[in-house]
Amino acid sequence: MKRTLLSIAVAATSCVAVADYDSLDYTGKPATKHTIVANNALDKTLPWHDTAAFERSERGLIAAFGDHSAAELRNSRGYLEVDDVRRDRPDTVNPSLWRQGAMNYASGGLYEVTDGVYQIRGADLSNMTIYRSDNGYIIHDPLITREAATAAWDFAKKHLPPINGNHTITGVIYSHTHPDHYGGVRGLFEDGQLPEGVEIYAPKDFMEELLSEGLLAGNAMGRRAQYQYGNTLPDSAYGVVDNALGMGTTKGEITLIPPTVIIEDREETVVIDGLEMLFINMPGAEAPTEMINYVPAYNALNTAELTYDGQHNIYTFRGAQTRDSLAWTKYLSEIKHRFADNIDNIHAAHSAPVWNNPETEVNEIADYLTMQRDNYGFIHNQTLRLANQGVKINDIGRAVEAIVPESQQQNWASRGYHGSYSHNARGVINLYLGYHDMNPTNINPLTNVDRSCLYVQTAGADTMYKQAQHHFNQGAYQEASTLLNDIVNCEPTNIEARELLADSWEQQGYQSETMAWRNSYLQGASELRTNHIPEALKAVSPDIMSQMTTAGFLDFMAVSIDASKVPADMAFNFNIVHPEVSEVYYVEFSNANLAPLKVETAVSEADLTLSIARNDLIAVITGQASLEQLIESQKAKVDGDTSILSQLKSVSVEFKQDFEIVPIMN
């Protein structure tokens, strides 16, 4: 099938990348003595006595995966199975991140949260929650791939009792728009189709946000995701150890069945096959649209992805709109005050549930929510306090790190596994004040290469290299990589600098607590050493493609225009008409810019009018059909100057994900 611009963009919105270095036989280097010392020093400060998360992860086990296919992801992380998590930590992994990986690895099977609420944990990045209803089971967040969901539901059916003689799915819930919360949905049903009478529930604006997040910058996001998730690194103590929210992502097909019921109001009570649920929309925090749900019959609250055993991203490396940490804080306050004193448990899309123990006066749920809330509130409030006192964006991370209270440092679930105090603080200041630090030198900065070459030409590559080697030998890896990065940017073929820069990044990766930091350092090191950009084989989803709007397609077409190719006199306009749904889009091209607009009626003076059914346009976009074939078969009609189509094609670019992040030698 021919790949089009739009198919590549949609593919890039997926967070799944499946490729490996088998052909390169890539293996990292050992930890240096300085890394060993640094990791051992951190080890002594961590709250190893607190094993509550492991106990929660193991509580309620109904059946372990064993050799079932649902264990495929977990089996790939076998190096995490050790006798003693602290004692058996490898030198190449930050001790706190290693413990997080071991904690996620501890979950691997079907668990009872409470009578009537069950979870499959360890089959994918996210949890599949299962609610018992009158005539079957309701599935909440069906994992990321069809294959994972099929295996997980098959395993669940082997260990959950049939209802009325069957394991019937009576409803599906998508908590939010990230793929690990809807992508496996077709795997729940034998024919991949939603059975008649079964509804899929989703938060307000679900489809709009799903399609818009990541489309226009999707290609760049896909390449950046290789660094954040490390999915092309080896699964080992020298590569990917953990993905913070879970062990990692499964390989397979991301699917989508559009929701049939949208929770439009802020709160709605819905009865699904006899089971009452209160849905509450909480958008704009962890995701553009998201909802939690309370189940009165089971006295259980699903917090979606607003909570997990760690600090989440406010700013995500792969690229996305910075999340509103103030809104996030307020949502968690609301959840605490409305529910914490009265519910049996909170369970979520990631990590194990938290229960209250009625035999003690301690309110574990309230304490957990308080720590989660105060984690994001601390970052938001202290970042803005420091910004109001003049601390700049590139200094704010270290300034916030220096004042983290002991209570947060000694709480595993406040530590920076997915997000970090440093890059989250920079995200907050960027949200409020933008990227510019007001230093006049930075108003119109030199390009990266020009700046690096200025330093190299001023100091000399040999002098910089010698200083970098000195810093490396002292274990000052960030100082070393700062100097070496300028040499490599200016002189990409400087082999000595490339190798030492890779070594320096690698040691920083081994010391990093945050998974995105570790993976990014190690991915950069591997590309420097191999001189190879690995292919990210995206799970291109026909389901998502089929939901793409014409407005979205035209916006992406506008982004694909290369202004340097546009002749000075190139100007035209055209209509796209979808007669079967009475939709019309009018597009003007002028000044090297494409400007689309949805209108009531076609513009009669337009240079071209294309009449085509929306589904047929999708077929053209995805390469399933050609416009010429559709015109010939009279499924599409063109009136006017058809050369406009070839003109557009001549000035458009096809995005590829093999662009450089670190210099590659040609």
Side-chain angles (χ1 to χ4, degrees):
M1 181 178 70
K2 181 180 179 181
R3 299 187 75 204
T4 66
L5 296 177
L6 188 59
S7 70
I8 294 169
V10 174
T13 66
S14 162
C15 69
V16 171
V18 288
D20 55 47
Y21 282 113
D22 288 348
S23 61
L24 299 169
D25 193 25
Y26 180 82
T27 304
K29 294 184 178 181
T32 65
K33 64 180 181 181
H34 299 291
T35 291
I36 294 171
V37 168
N39 283 341
N40 287 343
L42 176 64
D43 175 281
K44 295 176 182 178
T45 70
L46 297 172
W48 293 105
H49 63 278
D50 180 4
T51 59
F54 284 88
E55 294 162 8
R56 290 190 287 107
S57 296
E58 295 166 359
R59 177 173 167 174
L61 178 65
I62 295 173
F65 288 143
D67 59 0
H68 191 275
S69 58
E72 181 177 351
L73 173 65
R74 190 171 186 273
N75 289 342
S76 72
R77 300 290 195 268
Y79 47 85
L80 289 164
E81 187 162 350
V82 293
D83 294 330
D84 186 293
V85 172
R86 185 179 187 185
R87 185 192 65 213
D88 296 333
R89 170 184 56 84
D91 294 331
T92 55
V93 184
N94 175 286
S96 183
L97 181 60
W98 176 257
R99 175 256 169 212
Q100 180 76 357
M103 186 268 292
N104 283 326
Y105 184 78
S107 291
L110 174 67
Y111 299 81
E112 182 182 78
V113 179
T114 190
D115 183 34
V117 183
Y118 312 93
Q119 284 189 323
I120 291 283
R121 298 200 297 270
D124 209 334
L125 184 67
S126 52
N127 301 330
M128 177 190 288
T129 301
I130 304 168
Y131 300 105
R132 188 177 64 229
S133 60
D134 285 354
N135 298 289
Y137 295 95
I138 300 164
I139 306 297
H140 183 285
D141 285 354
L143 309 183
I144 192 169
T145 63
R146 176 198 288 260
E147 292 80 357
T150 296
W153 180 231
D154 178 74
F155 185 79
K157 288 188 292 184
K158 293 180 183 299
H159 300 284
L160 290 175
I163 299 175
N164 300 329
N166 296 296
H167 292 89
T168 303
I169 293 176
T170 55
V172 178
I173 300 166
Y174 301 152
S175 68
H176 62 285
T177 50
H178 296 154
D180 49 323
H181 304 271
Y182 66 80
V185 63
R186 290 198 185 275
L188 299 175
F189 310 108
E190 287 189 10
D191 61 357
Q193 302 300 313
L194 186 68
E196 184 177 353
V198 177
E199 306 284 7
I200 298 179
Y201 301 81
K204 183 179 180 180
D205 298 328
F206 179 87
M207 288 303 301
E208 294 86 345
E209 294 293 351
L210 185 153
L211 293 171
S212 66
E213 187 179 42
L215 173 62
L216 298 185
N219 191 70
M221 291 171 71
R223 173 73 169 114
R224 292 163 64 101
Q226 286 183 296
Y227 274 65
Q228 176 175 346
Y229 293 105
N231 289 332
T232 54
L233 291 170
D235 294 328
S236 74
Y238 295 93
V240 175
V241 169
D242 185 63
N243 265 319
L245 301 172
M247 285 177 286
T249 55
T250 55
K251 301 175 182 180
E253 179 189 3
I254 295 177
T255 65
L256 172 68
I257 301 175
T260 58
V261 178
I262 298 296
I263 305 302
E264 295 283 357
D265 295 336
R266 208 283 165 142
E267 299 186 21
E268 290 188 30
T269 297
V270 176
V271 178
I272 306 174
D273 187 40
L275 185 64
E276 180 182 307
M277 289 194 180
L278 171 64
F279 292 110
I280 306 175
N281 278 307
M282 293 189 168
E286 189 276 330
T289 181
E290 189 162 4
M291 66 184 185
I292 66 172
N293 59 282
Y294 171 60
V295 189
Y298 301 134
N299 202 24
L301 177 71
N302 191 319
T303 55
E305 203 167 321
L306 292 175
T307 65
Y308 99 100
D309 282 1
Q311 184 184 135
H312 213 300
N313 282 315
I314 294 170
Y315 168 77
T316 177
F317 278 19
R318 67 176 170 85
Q321 294 183 12
T322 301
R323 293 154 182 177
D324 188 341
S325 52
L326 182 59
W328 204 328
T329 299
K330 292 183 182 299
Y331 289 149
L332 291 173
S333 280
E334 178 185 353
I335 292 170
K336 175 186 174 181
H337 287 286
R338 289 184 63 175
F339 295 103
D341 291 337
N342 305 308
I343 55 177
D344 172 73
N345 67 83
I346 57 172
H347 53 284
H350 303 279
S351 303
V354 179
W355 293 266
N356 272 337
N357 184 352
E359 297 180 359
T360 70
E361 295 183 359
V362 177
N363 189 322
E364 288 90 345
I365 293 174
D367 290 349
Y368 185 85
L369 290 170
T370 298
M371 292 301 300
Q372 293 267 292
R373 177 199 65 192
D374 291 347
N375 196 209
Y376 303 116
F378 169 83
I379 294 170
H380 175 274
N381 296 332
Q382 293 306 304
T383 295
L384 291 183
R385 175 185 68 81
L386 291 164
N388 279 313
Q389 292 178 314
V391 179
K392 307 298 191 292
I393 188 169
N394 287 329
D395 300 329
I396 199 78
R398 293 182 188 275
V400 168
E401 284 180 325
I403 58 172
V404 176
E406 185 72 9
S407 59
Q408 291 191 30
Q409 294 181 44
Q410 292 299 304
N411 178 54
W412 291 115
S414 299
R415 298 191 68 93
Y417 301 120
H418 204 35
S420 73
Y421 289 98
S422 175
H423 79 256
N424 277 342
R426 282 174 278 165
V428 170
I429 200 171
N430 189 58
L431 178 66
Y432 282 88
L433 299 177
Y435 65 86
H436 183 42
D437 63 1
M438 294 309 296
N439 184 318
T441 301
N442 298 326
I443 291 174
N444 186 28
L446 295 171
T447 67
N448 285 335
V449 171
D450 286 347
R451 186 189 66 245
S452 292
C453 287
L454 175 64
Y455 297 151
V456 170
Q457 291 163 7
T458 301
D462 290 343
T463 299
M464 293 174 70
Y465 181 85
K466 289 176 182 177
Q467 285 298 311
Q469 182 72 69
H470 170 75
H471 287 304
F472 185 90
N473 293 341
Q474 298 299 312
Y477 299 120
Q478 187 163 20
E479 289 82 351
S481 61
T482 300
L483 295 171
L484 293 162
N485 189 58
D486 283 324
I487 300 174
V488 172
N489 275 340
C490 188
E491 302 177 359
T493 59
N494 189 318
I495 301 301
E496 283 188 326
R498 292 178 71 90
E499 291 179 350
L500 190 57
L501 179 56
D503 291 348
S504 181
W505 280 345
E506 185 171 61
Q507 296 305 315
Q508 291 175 81
Y510 292 166
Q511 295 181 32
S512 294
E513 181 178 48
T514 304
M515 71 90 175
W517 291 32
R518 175 186 174 89
N519 294 340
S520 296
Y521 281 128
L522 299 186
Q523 183 68 35
S526 72
E527 291 185 14
L528 282 179
R529 287 173 178 158
T530 63
N531 200 44
H532 172 72
I533 298 174
E535 182 181 5
L537 302 178
K538 298 295 178 179
V540 181
S541 172
D543 287 335
I544 297 175
M545 295 285 287
S546 69
Q547 299 302 315
M548 191 60 54
T549 64
T550 301
F553 164 63
L554 291 171
D555 286 341
F556 181 76
M557 183 183 290
V559 171
S560 305
I561 300 297
D562 183 347
S564 67
K565 296 181 178 180
V566 178
D569 60 348
M570 186 172 173
F572 49 77
N573 55 23
F574 62 93
N575 300 303
I576 295 180
V577 180
H578 299 317
E580 82 288 3
V581 290
S582 301
E583 281 187 5
V584 182
Y585 297 86
Y586 172 65
V587 184
E588 290 184 353
F589 188 95
S590 57
N591 303 304
N593 180 62
L594 189 123
L597 179 69
K598 187 176 182 181
V599 295
E600 293 295 324
T601 58
V603 175
S604 58
E605 299 84 7
D607 298 319
L608 172 72
T609 296
L610 169 63
S611 297
I612 185 171
R614 181 184 174 278
N615 287 342
D616 288 333
L617 179 62
I618 291 294
V620 173
I621 293 169
T622 59
Q624 304 282 349
S626 72
L627 184 59
E628 292 78 10
Q629 292 171 336
L630 294 174
I631 293 172
E632 186 176 344
S633 63
Q634 299 185 339
K635 289 185 176 181
K637 181 181 178 182
V638 178
D639 293 320
D641 183 3
T642 57
S643 71
I644 286 174
L645 300 176
S646 59
Q647 290 181 65
L648 272 175
K649 184 177 180 180
S650 70
V651 297
S652 297
V653 297
E654 180 174 334
F655 295 122
K656 298 179 180 180
Q657 290 186 351
D658 61 353
F659 59 79
E660 292 183 359
I661 291 177
V662 302
I664 299 297
M665 295 185 294
N666 296 320

